């Protein structure tokens, strides 16, 4: 930077608290594979945030993978991820489930997707199989913290 300070590393969109470079980037670029269903879920959320559709499709189980991800995804702005729980999905398992909520904004309105995703491990790699979900309209208050996790008030962040 011009004032001599180094730029702060960007936080990972998955909300892990780590930087994108150290957290989900190595998974999305193929440098490493996810060691758990939770790691894959977080990296897939991050890929949705960044428009990395090739990664999303490559980590979807072939039996349930769509041919393409619809163009409507380009309109979605993902704001935040909250993990509610995991069942199995470790390096010792072949199946796992992750329950989460993801808040997003589209066409000026906020929504919350709540999903229980199922994952399978095949040939040492985790894949998203399917999930059960529901979506509700989120109504963040202007003076409450923004659902994206920025720490700013909603009116000074994603409300714009």
């Amino acid at each position: 930077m011009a004032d001599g300070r180094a730029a702060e590393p960007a936080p990972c969109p998955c909300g892990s608290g780590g930087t994108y470079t150290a957290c989900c980037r190595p998974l999305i670029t193929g440098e490493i594979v996810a060691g758990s269903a939770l790691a894959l879920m977080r990296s897939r959320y991050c890929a949705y945030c960044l428009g990395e559709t090739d990664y999303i499709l490559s980590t979807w189980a072939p039996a349930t993978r769509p041919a393409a991800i619809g163009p409507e995804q380009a309109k979605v702005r993902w704001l935040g991820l909250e993990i509610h729980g995991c069942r199995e999905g470790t390096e010792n398992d072949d199946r796992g489930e992750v329950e989460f909520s993801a808040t997003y904004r589209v066409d000026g309105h906020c929504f919350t997707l709540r999903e229980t995703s199922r994952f399978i491990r095949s040939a040492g790699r985790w894949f998203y199989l399917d999930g059960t979900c529901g979506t509700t309209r989120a109504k963040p208050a202007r003076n409450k913290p923004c659902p994206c996790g920025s720490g700013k008030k909603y009116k000074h962040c994603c409300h714009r």
Side-chain angles (χ1 to χ4, degrees), residues 87-109:
R87 193 169 60 173
E88 300 178 322
T90 69
E91 63 276 352
N92 299 321
D93 300 312
D94 289 330
R95 295 191 170 275
E97 287 184 359
V98 178
E99 185 179 351
F100 67 93
S101 293
T103 304
Y104 63 96
R105 185 175 171 94
V106 64
D107 295 330
H109 301 286

Side-chain angles (χ1 to χ4, degrees), residues 108-128:
H109 301 286
C110 287
F111 299 89
T112 299
L113 167 76
R114 178 125 185 186
E115 180 171 334
T116 300
S117 295
R118 294 187 318 145
F119 297 86
I120 58 169
R121 192 170 66 152
S122 176
R125 288 188 60 204
W126 283 101
F127 293 92
Y128 170 78

Side-chain angles (χ1 to χ4, degrees), residues 9-12 16 18-27 32:
C12 194
S16 67
T19 64
Y20 172 66
T21 303
C23 188
C24 289
R25 183 182 179 277
L27 295 162
I32 61 172

Side-chain angles (χ1 to χ4, degrees), residues 119-142:
F119 297 86
I120 58 169
R121 192 170 66 152
S122 176
R125 288 188 60 204
W126 283 101
F127 293 92
Y128 170 78
L129 182 62
D130 59 19
T132 56
C133 63
T135 301
T136 57
R137 176 110 183 246
K139 296 180 183 174
R142 291 172 35 89

Side-chain angles (χ1 to χ4, degrees), residues 21-107:
T21 303
C23 188
C24 289
R25 183 182 179 277
L27 295 162
I28 292 171
T29 60
E31 296 169 48
I32 61 172
V33 296
S36 67
L38 178 59
L40 181 64
M41 198 255 110
R42 284 186 175 281
S43 68
R44 285 174 53 84
Y45 171 82
C46 190
Y48 273 102
C49 290
L50 301 173
E52 296 283 353
T53 56
D54 289 344
Y55 179 76
I56 295 165
L57 291 170
S58 73
T59 57
W60 208 310
T64 58
R65 180 186 306 142
I69 294 176
E72 66 278 358
Q73 277 300 318
K75 296 179 181 180
V76 175
R77 180 168 178 229
W78 294 95
L79 303 176
L81 175 68
E82 180 181 353
I83 304 297
H84 301 293
C86 301
R87 193 169 60 173
E88 300 178 322
T90 69
E91 63 276 352
N92 299 321
D93 300 312
D94 289 330
R95 295 191 170 275
E97 287 184 359
V98 178
E99 185 179 351
F100 67 93
S101 293
T103 304
Y104 63 96
R105 185 175 171 94
V106 64
D107 295 330

